[in-house]
Amino acid sequence: MTRLRPPPLTLLDKYHGKDTQTLYSTTVTVTGGDAGHGRASGIARSDDGQLGVDLRMPKALGGPGGGTNPEQLFAAGYAACFHGALSLLAARAGVPIPGSAVDVTVDFDRDPVDGLFKLTAHTRVHLPGVARAAAEELVRNTERFCPYTKMARHGIENIVALVPLEDAGNA
């Protein structure tokens, strides 16, 4: 069995440049599937071919189920990112966290402000065997460090652009 190495601790080093420094970029394309509706019957594929999932509307929202959905994908990404950040900070602090786990629950909600929709994330961190004070400090520091937590708290830079018709066939 191959043992994975954690990312280098140099990821914890502060960046002091003037412009954003992209460390990794990925693209996932969703097409509409049978119903022509990405959320209800879509197919999500990553540009490197490592992600390929069928998207289905969950039964709770009136769909057939039988596939994953955007909320599950977001919860998985958030939990993985938070756990990774937690692991890096624990390693730097010399605090072993065997058996650690991060649960993220994402709620698809009705928004009373505009009557439309919003997401709510609930993150639960399990650190068995770690003293309460050390665990609380690790979680607080991870909240400041994890990019998903920053995005959830402060928003994300988002640029939406319509692809010109002449380029649409290449998408």
Side-chain angles (χ1 to χ4, degrees):
M1 181 162 126
T2 303
R3 181 159 170 90
L4 297 177
R5 292 187 335 217
L9 291 178
T10 56
L11 285 177
L12 294 171
D13 294 342
K14 296 242 182 194
Y15 171 65
H16 298 287
K18 289 173 52 179
D19 298 318
T20 298
Q21 180 187 41
T22 300
L23 300 175
Y24 171 72
S25 182
T26 187
T27 300
V28 174
T29 301
V30 172
T31 56
D34 294 338
H37 181 302
R39 186 167 173 61
S41 68
I43 301 164
R45 300 269 183 261
S46 63
D47 57 349
D48 65 2
Q50 295 300 304
L51 176 72
V53 294
D54 293 331
L55 302 172
R56 297 296 177 265
M57 186 79 75
K59 289 182 180 183
L61 295 177
T68 192
N69 59 67
E71 294 76 30
Q72 289 173 330
L73 293 170
F74 180 69
Y78 197 156
C81 187
F82 199 95
H83 193 278
L86 178 72
S87 297
L88 284 172
L89 293 176
R92 175 177 261 182
V95 177
I97 57 170
S100 63
V102 175
D103 305 332
V104 173
T105 301
V106 172
D107 297 334
F108 183 76
D109 304 320
R110 278 298 201 168
D111 188 346
V113 174
D114 63 11
L116 298 174
F117 308 102
K118 70 176 188 149
L119 299 177
T120 304
H122 306 269
T123 304
R124 294 172 22 105
V125 181
H126 306 268
L127 293 170
V130 178
R132 184 73 184 187
E136 287 174 351
E137 183 177 350
L138 269 175
V139 170
R140 272 193 316 273
N141 289 337
T142 303
E143 282 185 279
R144 291 191 226 20
F145 183 69
C146 174
Y148 271 70
T149 302
K150 286 180 180 179
M151 174 187 65
R153 284 223 170 96
H154 306 293
I156 183 174
E157 186 175 334
N158 184 32
I159 301 162
V160 178
L162 176 63
V163 176
L165 286 177
E166 59 272 8
D167 295 340
N170 300 326

